Amino acid sequence: ALCCQSTPKALTTIRHSFSHYHLHAEVMLVKGYQAGAIMDASSRWLSPKQATKLGLPTPVRIVLERP
């Protein structure tokens, strides 16, 4: 499980329209650490630049590509 080491800090708010609904999300930054978690072979940590090269949902990609 990911545990918090800091108080969440608001980064940005995004709005994204899907075909049948709208997503409004407040993106938060939280510094964390792994507590007793073991990743399986298919899990890995990626930098935002590496992650945007994957097939990510548009709202996630928008957040990662923001300066």
Side-chain angles (χ1 to χ4, degrees):
L2 187 65
C3 298
C4 297
Q5 288 183 320
S6 66
T7 302
K9 175 185 173 186
L11 289 182
T12 189
T13 300
I14 62 168
R15 181 177 189 271
H16 182 76
S17 295
F18 295 90
S19 57
H20 300 337
Y21 64 95
H22 302 289
L23 170 70
H24 299 268
E26 186 172 343
V27 180
M28 308 293 285
L29 174 67
V30 178
K31 292 183 181 180
Y33 61 92
Q34 295 285 31
I38 299 173
M39 294 178 138
D40 63 31
S42 64
S43 299
R44 58 190 170 161
W45 289 103
L46 300 171
S47 70
K49 185 175 181 178
Q50 292 171 315
T52 57
K53 294 178 182 177
L54 302 176
L56 298 173
T58 299
V60 174
R61 185 180 42 75
I62 289 168
V63 170
L64 293 176
E65 289 177 345
R66 288 191 177 207

